[in-house]
Amino acid sequence: MLEARFPGLETCRDRNRSKSTHKHHHHFDNKTVDQLNFRKRFKLNIIAITHEEKTEVDISPDTLLFTNDEIVVIGRNEDLKQFQDYNSRP
């Protein structure tokens, strides 16, 4: 069961892909999705960002990320696991 191994992970119908919600890494602060090269770097798609209790689903390369933002990403389970590992680093 993926939910037990990866908190916050929700499985899609395709068992190889999942959706996950994260507080992002502090190195992402005040950077755009494009500056982070997010899709290429992590092989994940950001489908929503919650900033100060407002959720934005129209994510563009110019979308800024800030400390304490919550991001919802979707992608392959192995890529989500790598992102979770990266995101939990100090």
Side-chain angles (χ1 to χ4, degrees):
M1 174 184 277
L2 289 172
E3 290 81 4
R5 291 197 336 242
F6 308 120
L9 197 63
E10 295 179 32
T11 348
C12 299
R13 283 194 171 170
D14 178 348
R15 296 242 181 242
N16 295 320
R17 291 178 175 44
S18 299
K19 174 183 77 163
S20 185
T21 303
H22 302 270
K23 294 271 187 187
H24 71 78
H25 198 276
H26 64 278
H27 288 121
F28 294 179
D29 188 40
N30 207 29
K31 293 190 180 165
T32 66
V33 173
D34 187 52
Q35 286 173 317
L36 293 168
N37 202 12
F38 196 91
R39 190 173 193 185
K40 186 173 183 179
R41 182 178 185 186
F42 298 108
K43 300 178 189 163
L44 299 171
N45 292 305
I46 299 174
I47 59 173
I49 298 172
T50 301
H51 176 73
E52 296 179 352
E53 298 188 28
K54 181 182 175 201
T55 300
E56 179 64 51
V57 294
D58 186 18
I59 310 304
S60 75
D62 297 327
T63 301
L64 277 170
L65 294 171
F66 298 98
T67 300
N68 296 323
D69 282 359
E70 189 173 87
I71 62 174
V72 179
V73 296
I74 191 165
R76 296 181 321 154
N77 293 337
E78 62 227 38
D79 298 327
L80 284 165
K81 173 67 172 111
Q82 288 177 344
F83 178 68
Q84 287 174 323
D85 291 344
Y86 175 86
N87 207 36
S88 63
R89 296 182 338 189

